[in-house]
Amino acid sequence: MRLPLNELLEKLGVGYVLSAYETFPWSAYDAATGRTCSAEIRMNPDGDELEAELQIMYDEPPEGKSSVEQVMWAKFKPHLQTQWDTSDLWIRRENWSGKVYNWEEKCCNFFRCCVTELEQGLIPDIDTILERELSEKEKFAGSRGGGGGKSPKIRPEQLLNMKGQGF
């Protein structure tokens, strides 16, 4: 997935091109569960790296969790002069770069789905969105490609049957 910067930002939910040092934030708070979910797109000082981050903060963290859970972190860089591409993807502190088929585009879709819920004032259901957006259910998702089984065996006598019947 290689896109011009403006198209990449639009795919991530930002309607304009960010300049150096600029950020675009979203957040929502759920008082019933004491959780805040925040997302942010930020451009680095040189304007040649873009980061997307999604995190959940807890008023009272569940046992075994810290008060801040980093759900997603992704980095985007120019591949060629005007074409940007995803260079890194981390989901819940695990490297997902290359882990699933078409991961570059899927991470953008995942982030955008979460942002869409934040814009509505909702805390996204991270597990459901992860399952839906970063799965390997489509064709070509596996490591073997999308081919079928064995190649068919063709016998020359079947190709041009004397009676003109073909196969």
Side-chain angles (χ1 to χ4, degrees), residues 27-46:
S27 70
Y29 178 70
D30 182 0
T33 61
R35 296 181 304 160
T36 301
C37 183
S38 67
E40 183 177 270
I41 299 286
R42 59 184 168 264
M43 182 67 77
N44 77 341
D46 296 326

Side-chain angles (χ1 to χ4, degrees), residues 15-135:
Y16 62 93
V17 175
L18 298 177
S19 55
Y21 288 109
E22 192 171 3
T23 64
F24 196 96
W26 299 266
S27 70
Y29 178 70
D30 182 0
T33 61
R35 296 181 304 160
T36 301
C37 183
S38 67
E40 183 177 270
I41 299 286
R42 59 184 168 264
M43 182 67 77
N44 77 341
D46 296 326
D48 61 359
E49 283 184 3
L50 190 67
E51 291 182 359
E53 185 175 31
L54 178 69
Q55 55 189 6
I56 296 179
M57 293 159 282
Y58 300 93
D59 291 346
E60 294 180 31
E63 193 164 327
K65 284 193 173 189
S66 68
S67 60
V68 177
E69 175 189 0
Q70 181 151 8
V71 175
M72 178 193 148
W73 177 83
K75 184 187 286 186
F76 307 89
K77 294 181 176 183
H79 179 73
L80 298 170
Q81 292 176 347
T82 61
Q83 300 293 305
W84 288 62
D85 200 6
T86 313
S87 63
D88 296 285
L89 174 62
W90 290 79
I91 305 281
R92 293 185 170 146
R93 298 182 183 203
E94 182 183 339
N95 187 353
W96 277 57
S97 300
K99 185 175 179 178
V100 295
Y101 172 75
N102 200 15
W103 66 275
E104 300 95 335
E105 185 166 350
K106 288 181 177 184
C107 84
C108 294
N109 295 342
F110 170 74
F111 187 82
R112 180 63 187 259
C113 285
C114 292
V115 163
T116 299
E117 297 216 4
L118 290 173
E119 288 174 333
Q120 297 171 15
L122 304 171
I123 304 289
D125 183 343
I126 302 298
D127 294 326
T128 300
I129 297 172
L130 266 174
E131 176 63 30
R132 185 179 69 224
E133 299 299 331
L134 280 162
S135 68

Side-chain angles (χ1 to χ4, degrees), residues 130-147:
L130 266 174
E131 176 63 30
R132 185 179 69 224
E133 299 299 331
L134 280 162
S135 68
E136 290 190 298
K137 293 180 181 168
E138 65 276 300
K139 194 172 183 179
F140 303 114
S143 58
R144 293 181 54 196

